Amino acid sequence: MTARGPCEISWFSALCDDDYEFLGVPDPRLQSSFDHCRDIVLQAESGGFDNVLLPSGYALGIDTTAFAAAMAPLLRRMRMLMAVRIGECWPPQLARQIATIDRMLGAGAGGLARLAINIISSDLPGETLASGPRYARTLEAMTILRTLLDGKPLDHQGEFWQLRIDPPRIGTVSGRCPPLYFGGLSEAAREAAAQGCDVYLMWPDTMEGVRAIVADLRARAERHGRTLRFGYRVHVVVRETEAEARAAADRLLSKLDDDTGAAIRARSLDSQSAGVRRQAELREEAVRQDGYAEANLWTGIGRARSGCGAAIVGDPDQVLAKLAAYRDAGIDAFILSGYPHAAEADLFARHVLPRIDHAPLVV
């Protein structure tokens, strides 16, 4: 779709009770369970996606690490992007879990790792760290994980952990740390990303906003002698015509009331983060355009969701063109989702995915 080479196209499995036919209306058939989330992952693999994000929530849904371990023997080709909440982990134990699941998955084509890690700079419920210290802790965790998963001895005397550990006996198939995906808009988050991650993830924004974020993070990484790849997390509603896609988007909100939507957004532990605030701003800016922040970028999903709150809405040509524009802005990987997740994965796989030059991201 561009001359930039293949991009990574990932789907999303709703481990955190985030699957609906009508946003904000719980459906027992779509609640997070092992069977339901397994079926979404297997749908993504059969549809040809390169990767699948397994999200993590403290109170919601099912455990991500346990689910990833259970899925590893069931997948033949696709990667998994396993989310981990740093506020809830001890990094050496997490390194063992990552190495074990990586071994269970085995190597992909060309010997590439089939496990990647989405680092979440979380608090532990009941604990509240200011943004600066919380992201400093996250950077320490990324440093520890990278050292151990690269098979090196660790001597880490940091603010949050003091550790001396011999090289681990069990490492990853590649002998290297899996790619670390990470995002955040605050100043502290951007600096942690520039120093510690491999792929900087962002939530939906205008094209101008995307270009500005990419430029800023590239410059920050260069100051630390590093380079970053860039990922974009967004929902998608694709139908044969634009009118059908817009009607499907409207249908998603047809049973939502404002109080229910506000309650859903508020229950998220990251509901006050800079990234969530930006999603709210985007939604407010789009009110006069029927919820569209710009062409084919619809913010209605954010009425019933904290975090990633916008969708690419359109016919296959429009969706493809939007993804190509993001590629030209510097995006290397897309993490897509839709409602219901399995059904929308099938629609995207049939209408758009065969027309994209895509492959697992190499970092």
Side-chain angles (χ1 to χ4, degrees):
M1 60 194 233
T2 76
R4 292 174 50 86
C7 60
E8 181 175 80
I9 304 290
S10 303
W11 199 250
F12 175 97
S13 185
L15 273 66
C16 300
D17 290 333
D18 181 43
D19 202 0
Y20 300 96
E21 181 177 358
F22 299 97
L23 287 177
V25 181
D27 186 334
R29 301 169 304 156
L30 302 177
Q31 287 181 336
S32 293
S33 66
F34 175 76
D35 289 348
H36 179 58
C37 295
R38 174 203 61 203
D39 290 349
I40 295 172
V41 173
L42 295 179
Q43 174 77 45
E45 179 166 71
S46 66
F49 289 89
D50 303 308
N51 200 346
V52 61
L53 172 60
L54 309 180
S56 177
Y58 180 80
L60 302 173
I62 59 180
D63 183 75
T64 306
T65 305
F67 180 82
M71 289 305 303
L74 304 182
L75 297 179
R76 297 293 176 264
R77 173 195 57 79
M78 192 172 61
R79 277 182 169 180
M80 291 191 293
L81 176 56
M82 183 177 80
V84 296
R85 302 177 65 83
I86 294 303
E88 300 162 24
C89 76
W90 187 59
Q93 180 186 28
L94 178 58
R96 291 197 301 270
Q97 293 169 331
I98 291 169
T100 301
I101 296 171
D102 178 274
R103 289 273 171 177
M104 294 168 70
L105 278 167
L112 292 176
R114 290 181 59 209
L115 183 67
I117 306 301
N118 177 199
I119 299 288
I120 301 174
S121 185
S122 66
D123 281 326
L124 186 66
E127 162 201 271
T128 303
L129 283 180
S131 178
R134 180 163 50 81
Y135 282 106
R137 179 175 64 185
T138 300
L139 181 57
E140 280 193 33
M142 287 193 282
T143 300
I144 293 167
L145 289 174
R146 193 179 298 279
T147 300
L148 292 174
L149 290 166
D150 279 346
K152 299 176 181 178
L154 176 72
D155 186 352
H156 179 86
Q157 305 303 313
E159 179 182 355
F160 296 93
W161 292 285
Q162 297 80 44
L163 300 166
R164 285 189 174 87
I165 301 175
D166 291 335
R169 186 179 66 83
I170 300 296
T172 62
V173 171
S174 69
R176 298 178 55 225
C177 180
L180 302 180
Y181 292 56
F182 170 80
L185 278 184
S186 70
E187 177 69 20
R190 293 178 188 226
E191 276 302 300
Q195 296 177 64
C197 76
D198 300 298
V199 182
Y200 178 80
L201 281 178
M202 64 188 82
W203 284 337
D205 210 321
T206 62
M207 201 62 65
E208 179 183 3
V210 171
R211 285 192 287 263
I213 293 169
V214 169
D216 177 59
L217 267 295
R218 276 182 176 156
R220 290 174 188 261
E222 287 174 4
R223 289 197 290 271
H224 294 285
R226 305 184 71 242
T227 59
L228 293 175
R229 308 296 294 275
F230 293 90
Y232 193 72
R233 167 86 181 96
V234 67
H235 305 280
V236 64
V237 182
V238 61
R239 297 294 185 273
E240 292 187 4
T241 68
E242 182 180 14
E244 289 173 323
R246 283 180 169 248
D250 291 340
R251 182 178 183 273
L252 281 174
L253 293 181
S254 62
K255 297 186 179 182
L256 178 73
D257 64 76
D258 289 340
D259 289 343
T260 299
I264 291 171
R265 296 194 302 272
R267 70 178 178 174
S268 172
L269 294 175
D270 67 354
S271 60
Q272 302 303 313
S273 74
V276 170
R277 289 198 301 272
R278 176 55 188 149
Q279 293 300 285
E281 291 169 0
L282 197 67
R283 191 165 62 251
E284 291 164 5
E285 292 165 2
V287 168
R288 294 183 181 179
Q289 293 83 39
D290 294 327
Y292 285 81
E294 61 183 15
N296 303 109
L297 185 65
W298 178 63
T299 64
I301 283 178
R303 289 180 54 196
R305 195 180 195 281
S306 177
C308 174
I312 301 171
V313 176
D315 64 35
D317 288 340
Q318 291 170 320
V319 172
L320 192 69
K322 195 72 171 175
L323 295 176
Y326 290 130
R327 290 285 284 137
D328 290 339
I331 300 300
D332 306 295
F334 296 94
I335 301 173
L336 308 175
S337 59
Y339 297 99
H341 289 292
E344 201 68 42
D346 177 63
L347 287 164
F348 187 89
R350 287 191 287 113
H351 289 300
V352 182
L353 192 57
R355 301 170 62 187
I356 300 175
D357 181 14
H358 67 98
L361 193 64
V362 178
V363 299

